[in-house]
Amino acid sequence: MEELGDEDQLPATETAPADVILQCWDTTSVDFALRHVVGLLGCPVQELDLMILHPIMENWNVLAVVYGLSHRYVVLTTKHHEGFTNWGSPRSWNWNSVDTGPHRDLVGELGEALRERNLHYGLYHSLMEWFNPLYLADKKNGFKTQSFVTKKMMPELYDLVLKYKPDLIWSDGDWEAPDSYWNSTSFLAWLYNNSPVKDTVVVNDRWGQGCSCRHGGFYNCADKYKPGTLPDHKWEMCSSIDKLSWGYRSNMSIAEVMDEATIIEELVQTVSLGGNYLLNVGPTKEGVIVPIFQERLLALGRWLDINGEAIYESQPWRVQMENSTDTVWYTSRGPVVYAIFLLWPRDSVLKLCSPVPCPATRVSVAAAAGPYPRRVKVVEVGPRDGLQNEKNVVPTPVKISLINMLSETGLQVIEATSFVSPKWVPQMADHTEVMQGINKVPGISYPVLTPNLKGFQAAVAAGAKEVSIFGAASELFTKKNINCSIEESLERFSEVMAAARAANIPVRGYVSCVLGCPYEGKISAAKVAEVSKKMYSMGCYEISLGDTIGVGTPGSMKEMLSVVMKEVPVGALAVHCHDTYGQALANILVALQMGVSVVDASVAGLGGCPYAQGASGNVATEDLVYMLNGLGIHTGVDLQKLMDTGTFICNALNRRTNSKVSQASCRL
């Protein structure tokens, strides 16, 4: 893009939020009214992100399915006004999450999970406690005494900073007393000069009566604050999906929930006026984010996936809103100016009066809804699905080297091995050695296949942090594979799911034979949808739909996905295509056009299925990445390093690569 003479370059950003649903995770029930804050926070530029928090959840994995957007800040409620602490505070005996309820250090667990993914961690903390006798005594004394502050509140706040080293402190509960009662200035002086986070931490403005909108790293001012004009200080819009509460209410109606367009409009207005967006959601007492919240969050995520360049790290332009019949909001990044309009112009002509063009001005539509997702997560299945069908046993050091090389390519997910009986799959007999021998790179998942409880227990003992289970849409395939019916196989998985929840292990689900079976032939799309829905309902965060014998075509892929997507949200679907008939890439292309953004692949096209005669290898990861690169779809994968890895494993197996890209490059 060229720069404009008046810094006026206009990629127009049209909003077209998609109606999708976000998965939720089963959680432990804790009967306390806790507020859970999800933050889109930052300083000093718009550093936004979206993540669902379950402080009581059974899985700390990132639940923000916002289609690959870079996460920024997540804020967790450590203590709300009722005084219950989500860590084992020694000042809150028997009224904390370690002594009572989940019996876990929720603040610490979430912090570790976030930092493994390079996410910033913020802590919400209420200064006051409604029912604390010390606080009530101080209040009765007109806040002339400070027993609560010195014996309870302030020691806990110091403990939070020293123990968890937050990037952000979101203070609240200050309004009844002045900052001199809370000892706020003393604490902030220590925080910014002597604390372990003195060079990085940011704070809000709720530190005592009269502080709001006057003192703080960023201003909250008031809940759901909308300044109207561009403020001269960094600020934040604090909002919630439920219009009448900051979390979840069992009696809320659909009319009391913000719709997608309103949430997006709030976000756009906030960012245009230089603010950051704090969006609150809360789970049920069982820790589940209800479907209506899921829909709203994922719709916002998909909008950001398309239009995020106008939001992330943007700054206010010299004009924030176009004063015309069509509402247009502006943001900027360097010489680029973004015009964001929330409704399509009635005459299909967008009139922008504020920009001053010059001969070098270039206008483009930066966010027209395209036919493909902007980012795709590639799940590498070569070390497991690719090698399991090899006739000769692959040495363990070779498997370990393969995974370590794949870890250097930029892949986010590498399926490492399978904890099945060596009697049935001898190639995977060294699963424990492999898991304990690989270099686990932070930010990369290394899931393993666990068909039953015994396999799950062995996997966890070997250090697995994520597992997969596999079902099938074919009765005969299931019978010949694991000697039971589909329904019986799902019942067996319930043991694994229960154990996974107890161990805080995420579970991915595979459904085999979605486009054809070696024994039954064509498979009903309705059957695929039925099995997929059951596995998703059991708690699988993602369902991978496998064309196990590679007989699918773009037509059958479209038909099947159309039916499955009525039962499982597209954000929770992946495709797994074998290339027996050379249709894998074409089938994947159709899936991308339908909104699927997760694709399984195997380096060098390795693979097959020991239980499906005639099944050839998976689509080659090299070929998939090459195609996605050509479509302008981001994967984060280094194709050259991927090809080098393919060369390594093919040399080790003494075989020719199945990757057309590598063949064309004359590598093997």
Side-chain angles (χ1 to χ4, degrees):
M1 290 185 179
E2 299 175 292
E3 294 189 6
L4 307 185
D6 190 36
E7 292 191 343
D8 297 349
Q9 191 161 350
L10 302 172
T13 304
E14 181 207 355
T15 71
D19 183 18
V20 291
I21 301 174
L22 181 61
Q23 67 191 49
C24 64
W25 298 73
D26 291 334
T27 60
T28 302
S29 173
V30 178
D31 294 317
F32 299 109
L34 304 178
R35 175 178 157 194
H36 309 283
V37 179
V38 175
L40 303 174
L41 301 176
C43 283
V45 295
Q46 277 68 19
E47 297 252 329
L48 304 176
D49 189 38
L50 179 61
M51 173 176 279
I52 297 180
L53 290 208
H54 302 255
I56 337 165
M57 68 186 181
E58 289 301 325
N59 194 301
W60 289 126
N61 257 5
V62 178
L63 299 182
V65 184
V66 287
Y67 298 89
L69 292 171
S70 299
H71 306 310
R72 302 297 199 273
Y73 287 86
V74 177
V75 180
L76 169 69
T77 296
T78 63
K79 176 176 77 77
H80 200 236
H81 308 325
E82 82 295 321
F84 185 88
T85 66
N86 278 324
W87 82 102
S89 169
R91 307 274 176 163
S92 188
W93 179 81
N94 209 35
W95 189 234
N96 63 74
S97 63
V98 175
D99 294 339
T100 305
H103 300 289
R104 290 160 61 182
D105 177 4
L106 303 174
V107 178
E109 287 184 28
L110 181 57
E112 290 178 7
L114 293 175
R115 282 171 173 142
E116 283 182 1
R117 294 163 176 81
N118 297 316
L119 307 187
H120 292 291
Y121 191 25
L123 301 180
Y124 168 100
H125 174 268
S126 174
L127 301 180
M128 64 142 51
E129 291 182 19
W130 283 322
F131 314 116
N132 192 296
L134 295 176
Y135 179 72
L136 294 177
D138 287 347
K139 184 176 181 180
K140 185 176 181 179
N141 294 331
F143 296 112
K144 302 299 182 182
T145 57
Q146 292 181 295
S147 296
F148 172 72
V149 174
T150 58
K151 296 179 180 179
K152 176 68 163 65
M153 185 276 290
M154 197 54 74
E156 285 188 336
L157 194 51
Y158 278 97
D159 183 44
L160 280 173
V161 175
L162 292 170
K163 191 171 184 178
Y164 302 111
K165 300 177 178 58
D167 301 301
L168 181 148
I169 297 178
W170 210 102
S171 181
D172 197 12
D174 63 315
W175 59 85
E176 291 190 339
D179 65 275
S180 57
Y181 168 74
W182 301 115
N183 283 348
S184 297
T185 54
S186 174
F187 170 76
L188 291 172
W190 170 82
L191 184 70
Y192 282 123
N193 291 281
N194 301 110
S195 78
V197 294
K198 59 186 175 65
D199 297 322
T200 56
V201 71
V202 292
V203 302
N204 66 338
D205 58 352
R206 299 185 180 184
W207 297 97
Q209 288 176 342
C211 287
S212 183
C213 237
R214 295 180 59 194
H215 304 289
F218 60 91
Y219 293 167
N220 294 121
C221 294
D223 293 340
K224 304 189 178 181
Y225 172 66
K226 295 182 180 180
T229 58
L230 182 64
D232 58 5
H233 190 91
K234 191 65 187 176
W235 67 284
E236 169 195 274
M237 161 64 161
C238 180
S239 189
S240 62
I241 296 180
D242 178 19
K243 298 176 185 177
L244 303 184
S245 80
W246 295 105
Y248 164 78
R249 293 177 298 122
S250 61
N251 62 342
M252 67 182 177
S253 67
I254 188 66
E256 296 166 342
V257 176
M258 276 208 296
D259 58 34
E260 299 161 10
T262 303
I263 295 173
I264 292 170
E265 184 177 12
E266 273 193 350
L267 169 65
V268 170
Q269 291 180 12
T270 300
V271 174
S272 296
L273 292 172
N276 291 322
Y277 194 50
L278 175 76
L279 186 60
N280 287 258
V281 297
T284 65
K285 67 177 183 178
E286 292 80 21
V288 176
I289 299 296
V290 293
I292 190 64
F293 286 175
Q294 298 176 35
E295 284 190 356
R296 297 299 187 259
L297 294 171
L298 250 181
L300 178 59
R302 292 198 76 166
W303 185 87
L304 284 169
D305 188 35
I306 296 171
N307 304 301
E309 66 178 272
I311 301 296
Y312 293 108
E313 299 182 0
S314 66
Q315 295 181 349
W317 191 45
R318 60 175 174 81
V319 176
Q320 289 78 59
M321 185 179 74
E322 190 73 69
N323 188 16
S324 66
T325 55
D326 298 313
T327 302
V328 178
W329 294 87
Y330 290 104
T331 62
S332 66
R333 291 178 68 179
V336 179
V337 177
Y338 298 90
I340 307 172
F341 54 103
L342 304 175
L343 294 174
W344 191 261
R346 283 166 289 183
D347 57 359
S348 295
V349 176
L350 183 65
K351 299 176 182 179
L352 303 176
C353 302
S354 299
V356 180
C358 69
T361 298
R362 179 180 174 185
V363 179
S364 61
V365 180
Y372 308 109
R374 295 181 67 183
R375 297 170 177 81
V376 164
K377 180 177 75 174
V378 178
V379 178
E380 174 59 54
V381 299
R384 196 276 301 175
D385 199 22
L387 295 181
Q388 69 177 3
N389 214 33
E390 290 293 318
K391 294 181 179 179
N392 297 321
V393 174
V394 180
T396 301
V398 171
K399 295 178 183 178
I400 292 173
S401 296
L402 171 62
I403 296 171
N404 289 343
M405 291 182 71
L406 289 169
S407 295
E408 299 298 321
T409 65
L411 288 161
Q412 297 178 19
V413 184
I414 303 169
E415 193 175 48
T417 185
S418 175
F419 281 77
V420 297
S421 170
K423 175 182 177 182
W424 300 108
V425 185
Q427 189 65 255
M428 299 288 110
D430 57 353
H431 40 231
T432 298
E433 291 81 1
V434 169
M435 282 302 294
Q436 294 180 346
I438 61 176
N439 298 324
K440 297 183 177 69
V441 177
I444 300 179
S445 297
Y446 299 91
V448 300
L449 194 66
T450 56
N452 50 43
L453 183 59
K454 183 178 180 180
F456 173 83
Q457 292 169 338
V460 173
K465 301 297 183 182
E466 180 178 332
V467 302
S468 302
I469 59 175
F470 61 90
S474 163
E475 287 286 358
L476 281 178
F477 184 86
T478 305
K479 185 70 174 177
K480 290 180 177 291
N481 189 354
I482 53 178
N483 195 31
C484 66
S485 67
I486 292 176
E487 197 61 37
E488 289 169 339
S489 71
L490 295 175
E491 290 175 2
R492 292 180 184 178
F493 295 149
S494 63
E495 287 186 324
V496 176
M497 298 303 299
R501 282 192 293 271
N504 190 28
I505 299 289
V507 182
R508 190 179 198 240
Y510 285 100
V511 180
S512 301
C513 299
V514 299
L515 296 178
C517 170
Y519 312 110
E520 293 184 19
K522 182 175 174 58
I523 297 297
S524 163
K527 190 64 178 179
V528 179
E530 177 188 341
V531 175
S532 300
K533 180 181 180 180
K534 288 181 178 179
M535 294 182 73
Y536 181 67
S537 299
M538 291 169 65
C540 293
Y541 76 91
E542 193 169 86
I543 304 298
S544 178
L545 302 170
D547 182 13
T548 309
I549 57 174
V551 297
T553 64
S556 60
M557 174 65 79
K558 182 177 181 180
E559 176 189 1
M560 182 270 296
L561 283 176
S562 298
V563 177
V564 174
M565 285 165 57
K566 294 177 181 178
E567 303 295 342
V568 180
V570 68
L573 294 177
V575 291
H576 181 113
C577 299
H578 289 247
D579 203 30
T580 310
Y581 285 81
Q583 299 292 293
L585 287 177
N587 292 340
I588 292 169
L589 196 63
V590 167
L592 297 176
Q593 291 170 338
M594 297 182 72
V596 174
S597 59
V598 182
V599 181
D600 297 357
S602 177
V603 65
L606 300 174
C609 177
Y611 305 107
Q613 187 175 359
S616 68
N618 297 275
V619 64
T621 314
E622 301 93 318
D623 298 354
L624 172 65
V625 172
Y626 181 83
M627 181 184 77
L628 295 176
N629 287 349
L631 292 170
I633 297 174
H634 177 72
T635 63
V637 179
D638 186 317
L639 181 57
Q640 185 61 56
K641 290 183 178 180
L642 194 61
M643 293 169 66
D644 291 341
T645 305
T647 299
F648 163 77
I649 190 60
C650 287
N651 286 336
L653 298 176
N654 193 27
R655 58 181 295 176
R656 181 180 174 84
T657 181
N658 289 321
S659 165
K660 298 296 190 294
V661 172
S662 290
Q663 291 176 13
S665 301
C666 301
R667 302 184 64 80
L668 285 173

